[in-house]
Amino acid sequence: YARAESSIIVWGMGVSQHTHGTDNARCLIALALITGQIGRPGTGLHPLRGQNNVQGASDAGLVPMFFPDYKSVEDSEIRAQYEKAWGVKLNPKKGKTVVEIMDAVHADEIKGMYVEGENPAMSDPDLNHARQALAHLEHLVVQDLFLTETAVYADVVLPASGWPEKDGTVTNTNRQVQMGRQALPLPGEARPDWWITQEIGRRIGMKRNYAHPRDIFAEMSQLMPSLNNIPLERIERESSVTYPAE
């Protein structure tokens, strides 16, 4: 690895979803740095994401310390921009990571949880710790395709939709925004994830009225500079566009 003209490290979730996941990743980074296998063609580190839109979800703000496009929740000027766009007051404190959430459940700081498209009873680094936390919750809602290991602990299971059952975009690790088109009808009482989330939001007082994923993408485009020059019409026409785009 060190003596090759160019070497690259590619790793999957087994490295990070581990009790020493952070240390594992740091060791791989250090290895690339000390051998000089970074910053040149054919070198570097490439962590593979676990599902087909983990990158897109992260870009859109599904990280506890960031707003969309990795803008800090602790920056008052940035926070003001999102408060104006969404018409709500936003918490200035960083949220908890998945591991920290489980610790908070055990400490009785968190009483209820809403899990969407995630299976911590199987993906958490310490499964016994995670499953004990899920069982300890006063109320658990799981939104998923199947009765997953996590859904077994749920008080309510909401029927979500699969990849070929809905329209929308996904973004993969190399920043490629891709178009997904519905190819199958929704089975039974299943609904698109965005529709379920919006309906719950309406019931707790949030005023949102998205009629189609294109409405959501339009809002994302206004708040995420990474999507500049990538209108949904272009993605529909070209099937995929890599950001930053011209």
Side-chain angles (χ1 to χ4, degrees):
Y1 169 81
R3 294 174 179 172
E5 181 178 344
S6 59
S7 295
I8 187 169
I9 300 175
V10 180
W11 75 85
M13 292 293 96
V15 167
S16 54
Q17 290 178 349
H18 188 276
T19 51
H20 299 287
T22 302
D23 290 334
N24 293 343
R26 284 174 175 165
C27 286
L28 293 176
I29 292 167
L31 181 61
L33 289 171
I34 64 177
T35 57
Q37 296 290 5
I38 193 165
R40 295 179 290 106
T43 66
L45 304 110
H46 188 77
L48 299 176
R49 311 307 291 259
Q51 292 83 31
N52 67 342
N53 196 33
V54 176
Q55 186 66 46
S58 299
D59 291 351
L62 201 67
V63 184
M65 64 288 295
F66 295 125
F67 290 124
D69 262 3
Y70 308 96
K71 302 296 194 302
S72 174
V73 300
E74 297 177 304
D75 187 310
S76 58
E77 292 185 9
I78 290 174
R79 196 166 58 253
Q81 296 174 13
Y82 288 98
E83 288 177 339
K84 180 179 180 181
W86 294 332
V88 294
K89 199 71 177 174
L90 298 170
N91 194 322
K93 296 181 180 179
K94 294 189 294 185
K96 298 182 184 298
T97 65
V98 172
V99 174
E100 291 170 341
I101 287 172
M102 295 306 179
D103 289 337
V105 173
H106 280 286
D108 288 324
E109 296 174 20
I110 293 177
K111 305 289 187 180
M113 193 183 301
Y114 184 152
V115 179
E116 178 182 345
E118 184 73 16
N119 192 12
M122 284 301 292
S123 62
D124 196 272
D126 188 337
L127 293 185
N128 288 331
H129 182 261
R131 292 175 181 183
Q132 289 166 7
L134 295 170
H136 185 69
L137 288 165
E138 291 184 10
H139 192 71
L140 174 62
V141 179
V142 172
Q143 182 173 318
D144 215 312
L145 293 175
F146 310 106
L147 192 65
T148 63
E149 289 83 358
T150 300
V152 170
Y153 295 90
D155 299 285
V156 177
V157 178
L158 302 174
S161 51
W163 168 241
E165 298 166 355
K166 57 189 174 185
D167 293 319
T169 64
V170 297
T171 304
N172 65 15
T173 311
N174 69 348
R175 310 183 314 280
Q176 191 176 42
V177 186
Q178 303 175 73
M179 193 70 213
R181 298 175 177 85
Q182 184 175 2
L184 297 171
L186 288 164
E189 296 183 62
R191 296 291 183 271
D193 291 278
W194 65 267
W195 185 92
I196 296 173
T197 306
Q198 176 172 262
E199 287 303 306
I200 291 175
R202 284 176 173 173
R203 285 159 171 75
I204 60 175
M206 293 183 66
K207 297 179 180 179
R208 291 289 185 273
N209 190 31
Y210 304 119
H212 189 273
R214 68 177 64 253
D215 301 330
I216 302 170
F217 191 88
E219 179 180 309
M220 291 169 63
S221 297
Q222 293 175 356
L223 299 173
M224 298 172 61
S226 63
L227 295 178
N228 288 350
N229 303 314
I230 310 180
L232 195 63
E233 292 75 16
R234 179 178 176 182
I235 304 174
E236 289 175 331
R237 182 176 66 253
E238 301 179 20
S239 292
S240 68
V241 181
T242 301
Y243 71 75
E246 297 180 355

